[in-house]
Amino acid sequence: MPKTKFQEFVYGVLMTFFMVLAMELYNTGLRTGGLTNAALPLALYEMTFMFLLCFVMGFCFIDRLAPKIAFRMAVPGVDNPLFVTLVRASVTVAFMCPIMSFWATLIFKQPGVEFVAVWLQTAACNFPMAFFWQVFYCGPLVRWLFRTIFRSRSGQPAPARTQEHTQNHAQKEKSI
């Protein structure tokens, strides 16, 4: 999928946005006794800072660790691509759910001395939602959006640009 650092960044932003949106709506509904129209602005407000936390945790840490673990279980180019995708998504959710549940517990729940118990309960409630949302909705949507954004005019995914290609292109423009 992503072939350059810029593409990794775009993919990370898209994935983070749709995961955080769904999880904030879900958790706001849990905290307020059900998701209502009145709770939507609260969820969207919370999304602003949870997006930043999630992006930093995912892009800077988990996106480096998860593939190393996942690709020990499913090898790209060898195993079925669907299996590879499912393993990669599963490992990512297995790390991100407890991390983001930790932050949510700290920020929203004021658990006091019961922090560990509340955090574990929050992670247990969030994991099924995060897993199924990632596997069945968010992951396919983001991969489709990503392929659409980075599709070349020929209908094939855009090739990764190298620094040499960029320099050659700049030299050609100067000579014209």
Side-chain angles (χ1 to χ4, degrees), residues 21-56:
L21 175 62
M23 295 308 295
E24 278 307 311
L25 290 170
Y26 174 72
N27 279 293
T28 299
L30 288 177
R31 279 195 331 272
T32 61
L35 189 59
T36 63
N37 289 339
L40 287 175
L42 177 62
L44 295 175
Y45 168 72
E46 291 171 357
M47 187 181 162
T48 58
F49 51 89
M50 292 305 283
F51 173 86
L52 292 173
L53 272 171
C54 186
F55 184 79
V56 169

Side-chain angles (χ1 to χ4, degrees), residues 17-109:
F17 176 81
F18 287 107
M19 281 302 295
V20 171
L21 175 62
M23 295 308 295
E24 278 307 311
L25 290 170
Y26 174 72
N27 279 293
T28 299
L30 288 177
R31 279 195 331 272
T32 61
L35 189 59
T36 63
N37 289 339
L40 287 175
L42 177 62
L44 295 175
Y45 168 72
E46 291 171 357
M47 187 181 162
T48 58
F49 51 89
M50 292 305 283
F51 173 86
L52 292 173
L53 272 171
C54 186
F55 184 79
V56 169
M57 295 290 109
F59 192 76
C60 297
F61 301 107
I62 302 306
D63 287 351
R64 309 291 181 253
L65 177 64
K68 292 176 183 172
I69 294 169
F71 297 154
R72 288 184 196 161
M73 295 180 257
V75 181
V78 175
D79 290 319
N80 182 314
L82 178 60
F83 179 66
V84 173
T85 301
L86 288 173
V87 169
R88 174 69 163 87
S90 299
V91 171
T92 300
V93 171
F95 281 106
M96 287 299 292
C97 183
I99 290 169
M100 293 310 297
S101 294
F102 173 88
W103 286 109
T105 302
L106 193 65
I107 295 168
F108 302 117
K109 298 203 173 182

Side-chain angles (χ1 to χ4, degrees), residues 97-98 101-106 109-125:
C97 183
S101 294
F102 173 88
W103 286 109
T105 302
L106 193 65
K109 298 203 173 182
Q110 296 86 33
V113 297
E114 298 292 328
F115 182 84
V116 173
V118 173
W119 171 44
L120 291 173
Q121 180 177 0
T122 302
C125 288

Side-chain angles (χ1 to χ4, degrees), residues 123-150:
C125 288
N126 284 337
F127 187 83
M129 171 61 178
F131 177 77
F132 288 107
W133 174 252
Q134 170 58 241
V135 169
F136 292 111
Y137 299 100
C138 185
L141 171 65
V142 168
R143 287 188 294 276
W144 176 81
L145 284 171
F146 182 83
R147 284 190 308 269
T148 301
I149 292 168
F150 289 100

